Amino acid sequence: EDQVTQSPEALRLQEGESSSLNCSYTVSGLRGLFWYRQDPGKGPEFLFTLYSAGEEKEKERLKATLTKKESFLHITAPKPEDSATYLCALSTGNTGKLIFGQGTTLQVKP
Amino acid sequence: DVKVTQSSRYLVKRTGEKVFLECVQDMDHENMFWYRQDPGLGLRLIYFSYDVKMKEKGDIPEGYSVSREKKERFSLILESASTNQTSMYLCASSPQGGGANVLTFGAGSRLTVL
């Protein structure tokens, strides 16, 4: 069964304190691994898609990496505005539907 | 700017009422999805549609139905609302094909069933 597990559930950082969020997955055939950001009371907002092991993508203070079993979202020198829930999701077939992890809620304190 | 619009941000309904959640996208996307989001459970797929008048069950379709009469509109229907359907409902759309297309989400509809 295709499955996505994110850890930790919650993460508190001081401003400037770098860290990583983990997304572990088991899948029969990976079409793409997605990262989304979700602010309270809003819908998820797309960040990255990774397609194959070894791939990396960056956007401002965020960098996403992919192995055959895991993806990491590295946050370098975070700011309070990076506080949000980060969601990892898999696409495994031709339908376009995504399987989501439970999310990691990040709080960055000034 | 691409958009998925959910007509109601907050709804309060009573047990047994029929509830309609409406979603409209302006991107000419073929695929549309309904998810629900609950604390500790993440996003779970209720139904999706890859074409007008077509629908497919997701992981938790029980108690729900959908309608897609026009390409841009995808409605979620709760025939007889129950308290365990209190949740955040998220609509999304994506272009056809490939299996790895980005889903664009609406802002969500928070439903409370009393």
Side-chain angles (χ1 to χ4, degrees):
Chain A
E1 182 185 350
D2 300 331
Q3 205 166 9
V4 184
T5 304
Q6 292 187 247
S7 61
E9 287 187 20
L11 182 62
R12 286 185 178 182
L13 299 174
Q14 289 295 130
E15 184 172 2
E17 179 186 3
S18 301
S19 188
S20 297
L21 283 57
N22 177 263
C23 172
S24 298
Y25 65 91
T26 55
V27 65
S28 53
L30 181 67
R31 289 298 187 112
L33 185 139
F34 296 77
W35 283 98
Y36 282 82
R37 169 190 170 128
Q38 186 175 25
D39 293 303
K42 295 186 177 181
E45 181 181 330
F46 171 72
L47 291 172
F48 304 108
T49 309
L50 301 167
Y51 296 99
S52 58
E55 190 174 0
E56 299 181 353
K57 288 192 177 173
E58 288 189 67
K59 180 180 180 180
E60 297 180 355
R61 295 176 293 282
L62 300 177
K63 179 180 178 180
T65 62
L66 182 66
T67 72
K68 289 186 177 179
K69 294 183 179 180
E70 296 176 302
S71 179
F72 292 93
L73 186 65
H74 306 278
I75 302 177
T76 302
K79 298 182 177 182
E81 53 262 43
D82 295 322
S83 298
T85 295
Y86 291 86
L87 302 170
C88 171
L90 296 178
S91 174
T92 63
N94 290 322
T95 61
K97 64 180 182 178
L98 297 184
I99 302 168
F100 281 85
Q102 295 178 343
T104 295
T105 298
L106 172 66
Q107 184 181 28
V108 182
K109 293 189 171 183
Chain B
D1 199 18
V2 294
K3 251 190 167 177
V4 177
T5 303
Q6 295 184 231
S7 57
S8 303
R9 289 299 312 275
Y10 301 95
L11 302 94
V12 179
K13 299 291 182 181
R14 297 208 173 269
T15 301
E17 279 192 80
K18 191 169 185 176
V19 181
F20 292 87
L21 299 180
E22 304 286 342
C23 175
V24 177
Q25 52 97 2
D26 64 1
M27 297 167 282
D28 201 35
H29 283 171
E30 287 77 15
N31 299 332
M32 296 189 75
F33 306 84
W34 276 106
Y35 286 85
R36 66 176 281 178
Q37 184 175 29
D38 301 287
L41 296 176
L43 276 78
R44 294 178 292 166
L45 182 63
I46 304 171
Y47 268 97
F48 65 102
S49 169
Y50 52 87
D51 201 353
V52 175
K53 299 191 185 293
M54 304 300 289
K55 61 184 179 183
E56 294 280 345
K57 292 181 180 179
D59 300 317
I60 52 164
E62 296 78 20
Y64 303 94
S65 62
V66 290
S67 173
R68 193 164 181 203
E69 296 296 319
K70 293 185 178 181
K71 188 176 185 179
E72 67 270 19
R73 188 179 298 270
F74 193 35
S75 302
L76 181 68
I77 303 154
L78 288 66
E79 293 289 341
S80 178
S82 63
T83 55
N84 62 12
Q85 293 178 310
T86 291
S87 187
M88 169 72 95
Y89 290 87
L90 290 162
C91 176
S93 71
S94 72
Q96 188 179 40
N101 292 311
V102 174
L103 268 63
T104 301
F105 283 87
S109 298
R110 183 164 293 283
L111 172 66
T112 301
V113 183
L114 302 175

